[in-house]
Amino acid sequence: MYFKIIFNNVRKNIKDYSIYFLTLMIAVALFYAFNSLDSQTAFKTATSDATSNLSRQLISVLSVLSKFIAFILAFLIIYANNYLLKRRKKELGIYMLLGMENRSISGIFVGETILIGIFSFISGIAIGCLLSQGVSAIALKMFAIDLSQYRFVFSISSLINTLICFSIIFIVVIIFNVRTVAKVKLIDLLNAGRKNENFAVKSKKALAGILFVGLCMLAIVALLIYKKNGAISNSAIFSISFVLGILGTACIMYSFFGVLFYTLQKNVKWYFKDVNVFLIRQISAKIQTNYLTITIVCLLLAATICIVSTGMGIALSLNSNAADETPYDFIVLKDLENKKADKSETFQQYFSKKKVDLNEYLKEQIEISIYEEKTFTYNNIIADPDKLFKADADLLEETVPIISISDYNKILESQGKDKIDLKESTYLINCKYRGTKELLQSFVESNKAINIAGRKLTPEMGRINEVVYYLSSVGNNDHGTIVVSDKVIANLNKTSIILNGIFKEDSNKQKFDNLLVSFMGDPQSPYQSLTKTLVFEAYYGMFAMAAFVCCYIGIIFLIICVAILSLQQLTETFDNVYRYNLLQKLGVEKKLCYHTILKQIAIYFGAPLMLASIYSIVALPSIISKASVSLGLDIGVNVGYIIVLLLIIYGGYFLVTYFSCRNMINGK
C-alpha cells in the first residue's frame, strides 16, 4: 500500500518535482561526465610523456575538485528538498489529521525521495554518458592528442563514484526529512504558506541611507581597484575591496526595491493600475527577506561570468592559435657568441657526432642566420615606449635581430606562402608579439627610414609581416625582426643560426624529442632546442587544464545560482496560490495573473543578473587584458559567444520556473 501511495504521489506531483528533478539530473550528468575522463583510452595511448603527465594531473585535479563540488551540490539538493517539503506541508497535515503516525509519513517521504532519486540518477547517467563523449573530445583537442585514438566509453568507475557520492547525499537528505517531519506540528502544516512577509525595515530614510552606503562602498571598491591596484590578490587592498564589495552588494540588494517601492507609491496612477500594488509588495518583501541569498547568487553569477568567459576564452583561443604558432616540429639554435661554440661546425656535423641521422626523421630542414648591428636597438623603431608592457621595460636597450630576405623567403616557402621581392634600399619588419606589434605598425606607417650597415633603408610596404620563423614559447615569439637584402646582410655580424625541422609522417617523433632532451640539457651549451611537443603540452596543456577546470567550476556555480532562484520563486508562488486565486475571484483575469508572475520572476532573476553583469563589465576587461598579455592570446574575441551560452542556460531555468508557477496557479 505504501509503495502505491509513494508512486502515486510522485506521479501526481511530477510538475512540483520538475526543478528538483532537473537540478539532480544535471548535477549527476556533470559529475559523471567530468569524472569519466580517466576511462578515455586516448589519454592512456598518448605518445608523449608530457601529455600523459598533464592528462593524469587533469584527472587528479578533477577528482579532488569533484569532492568539493559534491559538497556544494549536497547543500543545493538539501535546499531543493526543503522546497518540496514546504510545497507538501498541507498534504502532510492532512495525513496527520487522518491519524497517520509521523513514522509512517516519514516513510512515505523517504520512499518518494528514493524514487525520485533513482529516476534522476538514471536520467543523469544517460545524459552524462553522452555529455562525457563531448567533454572527452574537447579535452583531447586541448591536450593535442590525436582524435583518431578517441573511443566511445562507458566509465564503470565514474558510475560507481557518482552512485556512492549521490547515495551519501540522499542519505543526508533522508535524515533531514525524517527529522523535519518528526518535529513538525499539525497547526503549522495546515497554515503553511499563509504567513505574510513584512518589511524588516519600514523607514524610507533608513532604506535610502542603506542604499547610499552600499553605493559608496562599491564606489570605493572601484577606486581601490583602478587607482590603488586593488585587483592584485596578494595585497591588503584587495582584501578590503573584496569585503567592501560583498557588503555593498548586500546593502543594495536589501534596500533598492524598498526604496523603489516607496518611490512608485508616489505615482498613484501607475501604482493602482491592474495589480501593481500586489506585485510591488510581494517583490519588495521577498527580496528584503532573502537579500542574503540573492547577494550570494549575485556574487556567484559575477564570478561565473568571469571564470567561464576567461576559461573558455583561453581554451578557444588556444585551439585557434595552435597551428599558427607552431609551424615547425622543432628548433635547434646555435649561439655563435657562446665561448664554447665552434663556428665552423654545421648542424649535420653536430648531430652526426651525437649519432643522430636527421634525414631519418626530417622531411624538411630550414636553416637561417640571425644578424645584428650593435648600435641598432628597439629604441630606434619604437617611438612610444610608454605603451610597452611592464614586462618589456628592458627591451629598448636590446639589439634588433636582422635576417636576410633569402632566409625569410625560405621560411615563407616552407609555410606555403608567397615569396617577397625586396629592394636593396628597403626593409621589412616582422613581428608576432602583441606587446610591440601595434607600435611597430605605427613606425612602418610613418614611413620612417632606418640606417643599417651604413645604408639608409625605407619601408618596402606600409605594414608589418606576422610570420613565425622559429619556435618559441607562445605569445613571446618575435618582438620585431628587420628583414633586409642579402647585400646589406654581408656587412653585419652573425650572432646565431637556427635550424627549423619538419618531421616525416612516419617518423618516431617521441624518440627524436627524447634524443634532443638527452644531449641538449646543458644550459651552458651553445646548442639549445625546443620541440613542438613541448610547446603544445607544456604551454597549451597547462592552460588548457586551467581552462577546463574553470569551465567546470563556472557551470556548477551557474546551476547553483539558477536552481536557488528557481526554487525560491516556486516557493513564493506556492505560498501565494490562494492569494492569486483570491485575485481571480475579485475579477482579475487569469492572463493578468500570468503577467504578474512573469514580471515577478523576471525581476527576481534579473536583479542579481543585472548587478552581476555590471560587476563583470567592470572586471572582465581587466581580467582579459592581463590574461591576454601573460598568455600572448587574444581571448576577448570569444567572450560574446560564451555569455550567450550562459544566458541560454539562465533563460532555460527562467522559462521552466515561469511555466511551473503558472501550473501552480491553475491548480495543476
Side-chain angles (χ1 to χ4, degrees), residues 1-59:
M1 183 183 77
Y2 282 113
F3 179 77
K4 187 175 181 180
I5 293 173
I6 291 167
F7 183 79
N8 287 333
N9 280 349
V10 172
R11 183 177 55 82
K12 283 191 306 180
N13 296 292
I14 191 67
K15 290 182 179 177
D16 293 340
Y17 281 111
S18 58
I19 292 295
Y20 184 59
F21 178 80
L22 182 64
T23 301
L24 280 175
M25 185 177 64
I26 293 175
V28 170
L30 287 172
F31 196 88
Y32 171 85
F34 280 90
N35 282 277
S36 64
L37 286 177
D38 61 339
S39 299
Q40 179 53 244
T41 54
F43 279 117
K44 300 174 184 177
T45 58
T47 57
S48 163
D49 294 335
T51 297
S52 299
N53 291 334
L54 285 168
S55 60
R56 284 196 297 269
Q57 288 177 28
L58 173 63
I59 292 166

Short mmCIF file of all heavy atoms in Angstrom, two decimals, residues 1-59:
data_model
loop_
_atom_site.label_atom_id
_atom_site.label_comp_id
_atom_site.label_asym_id
_atom_site.label_seq_id
_atom_site.Cartn_x
_atom_site.Cartn_y
_atom_site.Cartn_z
N MET A 1 0.82 -1.21 0.00
CA MET A 1 0.00 0.00 0.00
C MET A 1 0.86 1.27 0.00
O MET A 1 0.59 2.22 -0.71
CB MET A 1 -0.92 0.02 1.21
CG MET A 1 -1.87 1.22 1.23
SD MET A 1 -2.89 1.30 2.70
CE MET A 1 -1.72 1.91 3.89
N TYR A 2 1.94 1.22 0.85
CA TYR A 2 2.80 2.40 0.94
C TYR A 2 3.50 2.68 -0.39
O TYR A 2 3.66 3.84 -0.79
CB TYR A 2 3.85 2.21 2.05
CG TYR A 2 3.29 2.44 3.44
CD1 TYR A 2 3.18 1.41 4.35
CD2 TYR A 2 2.87 3.71 3.82
CE1 TYR A 2 2.66 1.62 5.62
CE2 TYR A 2 2.36 3.94 5.09
CZ TYR A 2 2.25 2.89 5.98
OH TYR A 2 1.73 3.11 7.23
N PHE A 3 3.92 1.60 -1.08
CA PHE A 3 4.57 1.82 -2.36
C PHE A 3 3.61 2.46 -3.37
O PHE A 3 4.01 3.32 -4.15
CB PHE A 3 5.08 0.48 -2.92
CG PHE A 3 5.75 0.63 -4.26
CD1 PHE A 3 7.04 1.14 -4.36
CD2 PHE A 3 5.07 0.29 -5.42
CE1 PHE A 3 7.64 1.30 -5.60
CE2 PHE A 3 5.68 0.44 -6.66
CZ PHE A 3 6.96 0.94 -6.74
N LYS A 4 2.34 2.04 -3.31
CA LYS A 4 1.33 2.62 -4.21
C LYS A 4 1.14 4.10 -3.91
O LYS A 4 1.04 4.92 -4.84
CB LYS A 4 0.02 1.86 -4.05
CG LYS A 4 -1.04 2.27 -5.06
CD LYS A 4 -2.29 1.42 -4.94
CE LYS A 4 -3.33 1.83 -6.00
NZ LYS A 4 -4.54 1.00 -5.90
N ILE A 5 1.09 4.45 -2.61
CA ILE A 5 0.96 5.86 -2.22
C ILE A 5 2.17 6.66 -2.71
O ILE A 5 2.04 7.75 -3.26
CB ILE A 5 0.81 6.00 -0.69
CG1 ILE A 5 -0.53 5.40 -0.24
CG2 ILE A 5 0.90 7.46 -0.27
CD1 ILE A 5 -0.68 5.35 1.28
N ILE A 6 3.35 6.08 -2.48
CA ILE A 6 4.59 6.75 -2.89
C ILE A 6 4.61 6.97 -4.40
O ILE A 6 4.90 8.08 -4.88
CB ILE A 6 5.82 5.91 -2.45
CG1 ILE A 6 5.97 5.93 -0.92
CG2 ILE A 6 7.10 6.45 -3.11
CD1 ILE A 6 6.94 4.90 -0.39
N PHE A 7 4.32 5.93 -5.15
CA PHE A 7 4.35 6.03 -6.62
C PHE A 7 3.33 7.05 -7.11
O PHE A 7 3.62 7.87 -7.99
CB PHE A 7 4.09 4.66 -7.23
CG PHE A 7 4.19 4.65 -8.73
CD1 PHE A 7 5.43 4.61 -9.36
CD2 PHE A 7 3.05 4.70 -9.52
CE1 PHE A 7 5.52 4.61 -10.74
CE2 PHE A 7 3.14 4.71 -10.90
CZ PHE A 7 4.37 4.66 -11.51
N ASN A 8 2.10 6.99 -6.57
CA ASN A 8 1.05 7.93 -6.98
C ASN A 8 1.41 9.37 -6.62
O ASN A 8 1.11 10.30 -7.36
CB ASN A 8 -0.29 7.54 -6.36
CG ASN A 8 -0.89 6.31 -7.01
OD1 ASN A 8 -0.62 6.03 -8.17
ND2 ASN A 8 -1.70 5.56 -6.27
N ASN A 9 2.04 9.56 -5.44
CA ASN A 9 2.44 10.91 -5.03
C ASN A 9 3.47 11.50 -6.00
O ASN A 9 3.39 12.67 -6.38
CB ASN A 9 3.02 10.89 -3.62
CG ASN A 9 1.95 10.85 -2.55
OD1 ASN A 9 0.76 11.03 -2.85
ND2 ASN A 9 2.33 10.58 -1.30
N VAL A 10 4.44 10.67 -6.37
CA VAL A 10 5.46 11.15 -7.32
C VAL A 10 4.83 11.45 -8.67
O VAL A 10 5.12 12.47 -9.31
CB VAL A 10 6.59 10.11 -7.47
CG1 VAL A 10 7.54 10.51 -8.60
CG2 VAL A 10 7.36 9.96 -6.17
N ARG A 11 3.92 10.57 -9.12
CA ARG A 11 3.25 10.79 -10.40
C ARG A 11 2.39 12.03 -10.39
O ARG A 11 2.41 12.82 -11.34
CB ARG A 11 2.41 9.55 -10.74
CG ARG A 11 1.71 9.62 -12.10
CD ARG A 11 0.97 8.33 -12.39
NE ARG A 11 0.03 8.01 -11.33
CZ ARG A 11 -1.20 8.55 -11.24
NH1 ARG A 11 -1.60 9.44 -12.13
NH2 ARG A 11 -2.01 8.20 -10.26
N LYS A 12 1.63 12.25 -9.30
CA LYS A 12 0.74 13.42 -9.20
C LYS A 12 1.53 14.72 -9.09
O LYS A 12 1.10 15.75 -9.61
CB LYS A 12 -0.17 13.29 -7.97
CG LYS A 12 -1.33 12.33 -8.14
CD LYS A 12 -2.30 12.47 -6.98
CE LYS A 12 -1.59 12.31 -5.64
NZ LYS A 12 -2.52 12.44 -4.51
N ASN A 13 2.66 14.66 -8.39
CA ASN A 13 3.42 15.88 -8.11
C ASN A 13 4.65 16.02 -9.02
O ASN A 13 5.60 16.70 -8.66
CB ASN A 13 3.87 15.89 -6.65
CG ASN A 13 2.71 15.93 -5.68
OD1 ASN A 13 2.00 16.93 -5.59
ND2 ASN A 13 2.50 14.84 -4.96
N ILE A 14 4.60 15.37 -10.17
CA ILE A 14 5.76 15.37 -11.06
C ILE A 14 6.15 16.78 -11.48
O ILE A 14 7.33 17.09 -11.63
CB ILE A 14 5.50 14.48 -12.31
CG1 ILE A 14 6.80 14.28 -13.09
CG2 ILE A 14 4.41 15.08 -13.18
CD1 ILE A 14 7.82 13.46 -12.34
N LYS A 15 5.16 17.69 -11.64
CA LYS A 15 5.48 19.06 -12.02
C LYS A 15 6.10 19.83 -10.87
O LYS A 15 6.92 20.72 -11.08
CB LYS A 15 4.23 19.77 -12.54
CG LYS A 15 3.78 19.22 -13.88
CD LYS A 15 2.57 19.95 -14.42
CE LYS A 15 2.18 19.38 -15.79
NZ LYS A 15 0.96 20.02 -16.32
N ASP A 16 5.69 19.48 -9.62
CA ASP A 16 6.33 20.09 -8.46
C ASP A 16 7.80 19.68 -8.38
O ASP A 16 8.65 20.43 -7.92
CB ASP A 16 5.62 19.67 -7.16
CG ASP A 16 4.21 20.23 -7.08
OD1 ASP A 16 3.94 21.20 -7.80
OD2 ASP A 16 3.40 19.70 -6.32
N TYR A 17 8.06 18.46 -8.84
CA TYR A 17 9.41 17.93 -8.78
C TYR A 17 10.27 18.38 -9.96
O TYR A 17 11.44 18.00 -10.04
CB TYR A 17 9.37 16.40 -8.77
CG TYR A 17 9.04 15.77 -7.44
CD1 TYR A 17 7.83 15.12 -7.23
CD2 TYR A 17 9.95 15.82 -6.38
CE1 TYR A 17 7.54 14.53 -6.01
CE2 TYR A 17 9.67 15.24 -5.17
CZ TYR A 17 8.45 14.59 -4.98
OH TYR A 17 8.18 14.03 -3.77
N SER A 18 9.72 19.16 -10.88
CA SER A 18 10.43 19.48 -12.14
C SER A 18 11.79 20.12 -11.90
O SER A 18 12.80 19.66 -12.45
CB SER A 18 9.56 20.36 -13.04
OG SER A 18 9.22 21.56 -12.37
N ILE A 19 11.83 21.20 -11.10
CA ILE A 19 13.11 21.88 -10.84
C ILE A 19 14.04 20.98 -10.05
O ILE A 19 15.24 20.89 -10.34
CB ILE A 19 12.86 23.20 -10.08
CG1 ILE A 19 12.14 24.21 -10.98
CG2 ILE A 19 14.19 23.80 -9.60
CD1 ILE A 19 12.93 24.67 -12.18
N TYR A 20 13.49 20.30 -9.04
CA TYR A 20 14.27 19.38 -8.22
C TYR A 20 14.88 18.27 -9.09
O TYR A 20 16.07 17.97 -9.01
CB TYR A 20 13.36 18.79 -7.14
CG TYR A 20 14.05 17.89 -6.13
CD1 TYR A 20 15.09 18.37 -5.34
CD2 TYR A 20 13.65 16.57 -5.97
CE1 TYR A 20 15.70 17.57 -4.40
CE2 TYR A 20 14.26 15.74 -5.04
CZ TYR A 20 15.29 16.25 -4.26
OH TYR A 20 15.90 15.45 -3.33
N PHE A 21 14.03 17.69 -9.94
CA PHE A 21 14.47 16.62 -10.84
C PHE A 21 15.51 17.14 -11.83
O PHE A 21 16.54 16.49 -12.07
CB PHE A 21 13.27 16.04 -11.58
CG PHE A 21 13.61 14.97 -12.57
CD1 PHE A 21 13.84 13.66 -12.15
CD2 PHE A 21 13.70 15.25 -13.92
CE1 PHE A 21 14.15 12.66 -13.06
CE2 PHE A 21 14.02 14.27 -14.83
CZ PHE A 21 14.25 12.96 -14.40
N LEU A 22 15.26 18.30 -12.42
CA LEU A 22 16.18 18.89 -13.39
C LEU A 22 17.54 19.17 -12.76
O LEU A 22 18.58 18.88 -13.34
CB LEU A 22 15.57 20.19 -13.95
CG LEU A 22 16.39 20.92 -15.02
CD1 LEU A 22 16.53 20.07 -16.27
CD2 LEU A 22 15.72 22.25 -15.36
N THR A 23 17.52 19.73 -11.54
CA THR A 23 18.77 20.05 -10.85
C THR A 23 19.55 18.78 -10.54
O THR A 23 20.76 18.72 -10.75
CB THR A 23 18.47 20.83 -9.55
OG1 THR A 23 17.76 22.02 -9.88
CG2 THR A 23 19.76 21.18 -8.82
N LEU A 24 18.86 17.77 -10.03
CA LEU A 24 19.52 16.49 -9.73
C LEU A 24 20.10 15.86 -10.99
O LEU A 24 21.24 15.38 -10.99
CB LEU A 24 18.52 15.53 -9.09
CG LEU A 24 18.21 15.71 -7.60
CD1 LEU A 24 17.11 14.75 -7.19
CD2 LEU A 24 19.45 15.48 -6.77
N MET A 25 19.32 15.86 -12.05
CA MET A 25 19.74 15.22 -13.30
C MET A 25 20.99 15.90 -13.86
O MET A 25 21.95 15.22 -14.27
CB MET A 25 18.60 15.29 -14.31
CG MET A 25 18.87 14.55 -15.61
SD MET A 25 17.44 14.61 -16.70
CE MET A 25 17.35 16.37 -17.04
N ILE A 26 20.98 17.24 -13.89
CA ILE A 26 22.15 17.96 -14.41
C ILE A 26 23.36 17.74 -13.53
O ILE A 26 24.49 17.56 -14.02
CB ILE A 26 21.82 19.47 -14.53
CG1 ILE A 26 20.76 19.69 -15.61
CG2 ILE A 26 23.08 20.27 -14.86
CD1 ILE A 26 20.28 21.12 -15.72
N ALA A 27 23.14 17.75 -12.19
CA ALA A 27 24.25 17.53 -11.27
C ALA A 27 24.88 16.16 -11.48
O ALA A 27 26.11 16.02 -11.54
CB ALA A 27 23.76 17.68 -9.82
N VAL A 28 24.06 15.13 -11.60
CA VAL A 28 24.56 13.77 -11.84
C VAL A 28 25.28 13.69 -13.18
O VAL A 28 26.38 13.11 -13.28
CB VAL A 28 23.39 12.75 -11.80
CG1 VAL A 28 23.87 11.39 -12.28
CG2 VAL A 28 22.83 12.63 -10.40
N ALA A 29 24.69 14.31 -14.22
CA ALA A 29 25.30 14.26 -15.56
C ALA A 29 26.67 14.92 -15.58
O ALA A 29 27.64 14.36 -16.12
CB ALA A 29 24.37 14.95 -16.56
N LEU A 30 26.79 16.10 -14.98
CA LEU A 30 28.08 16.80 -14.95
C LEU A 30 29.10 16.04 -14.12
O LEU A 30 30.27 15.92 -14.49
CB LEU A 30 27.89 18.21 -14.39
CG LEU A 30 27.19 19.22 -15.30
CD1 LEU A 30 26.90 20.51 -14.56
CD2 LEU A 30 28.04 19.51 -16.54
N PHE A 31 28.66 15.54 -12.98
CA PHE A 31 29.56 14.81 -12.09
C PHE A 31 30.12 13.59 -12.81
O PHE A 31 31.32 13.31 -12.76
CB PHE A 31 28.82 14.40 -10.82
CG PHE A 31 29.73 13.98 -9.69
CD1 PHE A 31 30.21 14.92 -8.79
CD2 PHE A 31 30.08 12.65 -9.53
CE1 PHE A 31 31.05 14.53 -7.76
CE2 PHE A 31 30.92 12.26 -8.50
CZ PHE A 31 31.40 13.21 -7.61
N TYR A 32 29.24 12.85 -13.47
CA TYR A 32 29.70 11.65 -14.20
C TYR A 32 30.61 12.04 -15.37
O TYR A 32 31.68 11.44 -15.56
CB TYR A 32 28.49 10.86 -14.72
CG TYR A 32 28.89 9.75 -15.67
CD1 TYR A 32 29.27 8.51 -15.18
CD2 TYR A 32 28.91 9.96 -17.05
CE1 TYR A 32 29.66 7.49 -16.06
CE2 TYR A 32 29.31 8.95 -17.92
CZ TYR A 32 29.68 7.73 -17.41
OH TYR A 32 30.07 6.74 -18.27
N ALA A 33 30.19 13.04 -16.16
CA ALA A 33 30.93 13.40 -17.38
C ALA A 33 32.36 13.81 -17.09
O ALA A 33 33.30 13.36 -17.75
CB ALA A 33 30.19 14.51 -18.12
N PHE A 34 32.54 14.66 -16.08
CA PHE A 34 33.88 15.18 -15.80
C PHE A 34 34.76 14.16 -15.07
O PHE A 34 35.98 14.29 -15.07
CB PHE A 34 33.80 16.48 -15.01
CG PHE A 34 33.50 17.67 -15.85
CD1 PHE A 34 32.19 18.06 -16.09
CD2 PHE A 34 34.50 18.40 -16.43
CE1 PHE A 34 31.89 19.16 -16.88
CE2 PHE A 34 34.23 19.51 -17.23
CZ PHE A 34 32.92 19.88 -17.45
N ASN A 35 34.12 13.17 -14.43
CA ASN A 35 34.91 12.15 -13.73
C ASN A 35 35.17 10.92 -14.58
O ASN A 35 35.84 10.00 -14.14
CB ASN A 35 34.19 11.74 -12.44
CG ASN A 35 34.37 12.75 -11.34
OD1 ASN A 35 35.36 12.75 -10.63
ND2 ASN A 35 33.40 13.65 -11.20
N SER A 36 34.64 10.91 -15.80
CA SER A 36 34.82 9.74 -16.67
C SER A 36 36.03 9.88 -17.59
O SER A 36 36.31 8.98 -18.38
CB SER A 36 33.56 9.53 -17.53
OG SER A 36 33.37 10.63 -18.40
N LEU A 37 36.76 11.00 -17.47
CA LEU A 37 37.91 11.21 -18.36
C LEU A 37 38.99 10.15 -18.19
O LEU A 37 39.69 9.81 -19.14
CB LEU A 37 38.52 12.60 -18.11
CG LEU A 37 37.73 13.80 -18.64
CD1 LEU A 37 38.41 15.08 -18.23
CD2 LEU A 37 37.59 13.73 -20.14
N ASP A 38 39.13 9.63 -16.95
CA ASP A 38 40.20 8.66 -16.73
C ASP A 38 39.96 7.33 -17.47
O ASP A 38 40.86 6.51 -17.60
CB ASP A 38 40.38 8.38 -15.24
CG ASP A 38 39.13 7.80 -14.59
OD1 ASP A 38 38.05 7.98 -15.18
OD2 ASP A 38 39.23 7.19 -13.52
N SER A 39 38.73 7.15 -17.98
CA SER A 39 38.42 5.92 -18.72
C SER A 39 38.62 6.07 -20.22
O SER A 39 38.50 5.10 -20.96
CB SER A 39 36.97 5.50 -18.44
OG SER A 39 36.78 5.23 -17.08
N GLN A 40 38.90 7.30 -20.67
CA GLN A 40 39.10 7.54 -22.10
C GLN A 40 40.45 6.97 -22.53
O GLN A 40 41.51 7.41 -22.07
CB GLN A 40 39.04 9.03 -22.41
CG GLN A 40 39.25 9.40 -23.87
CD GLN A 40 38.35 8.63 -24.81
OE1 GLN A 40 38.81 7.86 -25.64
NE2 GLN A 40 37.04 8.85 -24.68
N THR A 41 40.41 5.98 -23.39
CA THR A 41 41.62 5.25 -23.78
C THR A 41 42.64 6.14 -24.50
O THR A 41 43.84 5.86 -24.47
CB THR A 41 41.26 4.07 -24.69
OG1 THR A 41 40.48 4.56 -25.81
CG2 THR A 41 40.43 3.04 -23.93
N ALA A 42 42.16 7.22 -25.14
CA ALA A 42 43.09 8.09 -25.89
C ALA A 42 44.11 8.74 -24.97
O ALA A 42 45.26 8.97 -25.37
CB ALA A 42 42.30 9.16 -26.65
N PHE A 43 43.72 9.03 -23.73
CA PHE A 43 44.67 9.61 -22.78
C PHE A 43 45.77 8.60 -22.45
O PHE A 43 46.92 8.97 -22.25
CB PHE A 43 43.96 10.02 -21.50
CG PHE A 43 43.26 11.34 -21.59
CD1 PHE A 43 41.89 11.42 -21.46
CD2 PHE A 43 43.97 12.51 -21.80
CE1 PHE A 43 41.23 12.63 -21.55
CE2 PHE A 43 43.32 13.73 -21.89
CZ PHE A 43 41.95 13.80 -21.77
N LYS A 44 45.39 7.33 -22.38
CA LYS A 44 46.35 6.29 -22.00
C LYS A 44 47.29 5.93 -23.13
O LYS A 44 48.35 5.36 -22.90
CB LYS A 44 45.59 5.05 -21.53
CG LYS A 44 44.69 5.33 -20.32
CD LYS A 44 43.84 4.13 -19.97
CE LYS A 44 42.89 4.48 -18.81
NZ LYS A 44 41.99 3.35 -18.48
N THR A 45 46.90 6.25 -24.36
CA THR A 45 47.75 5.92 -25.51
C THR A 45 48.57 7.12 -25.99
O THR A 45 49.16 7.07 -27.06
CB THR A 45 46.89 5.41 -26.69
OG1 THR A 45 45.93 6.42 -27.03
CG2 THR A 45 46.16 4.14 -26.31
N ALA A 46 48.58 8.19 -25.20
CA ALA A 46 49.34 9.39 -25.57
C ALA A 46 50.82 9.02 -25.70
O ALA A 46 51.40 8.38 -24.82
CB ALA A 46 49.16 10.48 -24.52
N THR A 47 51.42 9.41 -26.80
CA THR A 47 52.81 9.04 -27.07
C THR A 47 53.79 9.90 -26.30
O THR A 47 54.94 9.52 -26.10
CB THR A 47 53.12 9.17 -28.57
OG1 THR A 47 52.83 10.51 -28.98
CG2 THR A 47 52.27 8.21 -29.37
N SER A 48 53.36 11.06 -25.84
CA SER A 48 54.26 11.98 -25.16
C SER A 48 54.18 11.82 -23.65
O SER A 48 53.10 11.69 -23.09
CB SER A 48 53.91 13.41 -25.56
OG SER A 48 54.47 14.32 -24.67
N ASP A 49 55.35 11.86 -23.01
CA ASP A 49 55.37 11.81 -21.55
C ASP A 49 54.68 13.04 -20.96
O ASP A 49 53.97 12.94 -19.95
CB ASP A 49 56.82 11.76 -21.05
CG ASP A 49 57.50 10.46 -21.46
OD1 ASP A 49 56.79 9.47 -21.67
OD2 ASP A 49 58.75 10.45 -21.55
N ALA A 50 54.90 14.19 -21.60
CA ALA A 50 54.28 15.42 -21.09
C ALA A 50 52.76 15.34 -21.16
O ALA A 50 52.06 15.74 -20.23
CB ALA A 50 54.79 16.63 -21.89
N THR A 51 52.26 14.80 -22.29
CA THR A 51 50.81 14.66 -22.43
C THR A 51 50.25 13.72 -21.37
O THR A 51 49.22 14.01 -20.75
CB THR A 51 50.46 14.12 -23.82
OG1 THR A 51 50.89 15.05 -24.80
CG2 THR A 51 48.98 13.91 -23.97
N SER A 52 50.93 12.61 -21.16
CA SER A 52 50.48 11.64 -20.17
C SER A 52 50.46 12.27 -18.78
O SER A 52 49.50 12.10 -18.02
CB SER A 52 51.39 10.41 -20.17
OG SER A 52 51.37 9.78 -21.42
N ASN A 53 51.52 13.02 -18.46
CA ASN A 53 51.59 13.66 -17.14
C ASN A 53 50.49 14.68 -16.95
O ASN A 53 49.83 14.74 -15.91
CB ASN A 53 52.96 14.32 -16.95
CG ASN A 53 54.08 13.31 -16.81
OD1 ASN A 53 53.84 12.18 -16.40
ND2 ASN A 53 55.29 13.70 -17.18
N LEU A 54 50.28 15.51 -18.00
CA LEU A 54 49.26 16.55 -17.89
C LEU A 54 47.86 15.96 -17.80
O LEU A 54 47.01 16.45 -17.05
CB LEU A 54 49.36 17.50 -19.09
CG LEU A 54 50.52 18.49 -19.05
CD1 LEU A 54 50.69 19.15 -20.40
CD2 LEU A 54 50.30 19.54 -17.97
N SER A 55 47.60 14.91 -18.58
CA SER A 55 46.28 14.28 -18.53
C SER A 55 46.04 13.65 -17.17
O SER A 55 44.93 13.73 -16.62
CB SER A 55 46.12 13.26 -19.65
OG SER A 55 47.10 12.24 -19.53
N ARG A 56 47.11 13.05 -16.59
CA ARG A 56 46.97 12.49 -15.25
C ARG A 56 46.73 13.59 -14.22
O ARG A 56 45.92 13.43 -13.29
CB ARG A 56 48.22 11.68 -14.88
CG ARG A 56 48.29 10.32 -15.54
CD ARG A 56 49.32 9.44 -14.85
NE ARG A 56 50.66 9.99 -14.97
CZ ARG A 56 51.51 9.69 -15.95
NH1 ARG A 56 51.12 8.87 -16.92
NH2 ARG A 56 52.72 10.22 -15.98
N GLN A 57 47.40 14.72 -14.40
CA GLN A 57 47.19 15.84 -13.49
C GLN A 57 45.76 16.37 -13.59
O GLN A 57 45.13 16.68 -12.56
CB GLN A 57 48.17 16.98 -13.81
CG GLN A 57 49.60 16.69 -13.41
CD GLN A 57 50.54 17.81 -13.81
OE1 GLN A 57 50.15 18.97 -13.91
NE2 GLN A 57 51.79 17.48 -14.07
N LEU A 58 45.25 16.47 -14.83
CA LEU A 58 43.87 16.94 -15.01
C LEU A 58 42.89 16.02 -14.30
O LEU A 58 41.99 16.47 -13.59
CB LEU A 58 43.54 17.02 -16.50
CG LEU A 58 42.08 17.35 -16.84
CD1 LEU A 58 41.70 18.74 -16.32
CD2 LEU A 58 41.82 17.25 -18.33
N ILE A 59 43.06 14.71 -14.51
CA ILE A 59 42.16 13.74 -13.89
C ILE A 59 42.26 13.82 -12.37
O ILE A 59 41.25 13.74 -11.66
CB ILE A 59 42.49 12.32 -14.40
CG1 ILE A 59 42.12 12.22 -15.90
CG2 ILE A 59 41.75 11.26 -13.60
CD1 ILE A 59 42.69 11.01 -16.58
#
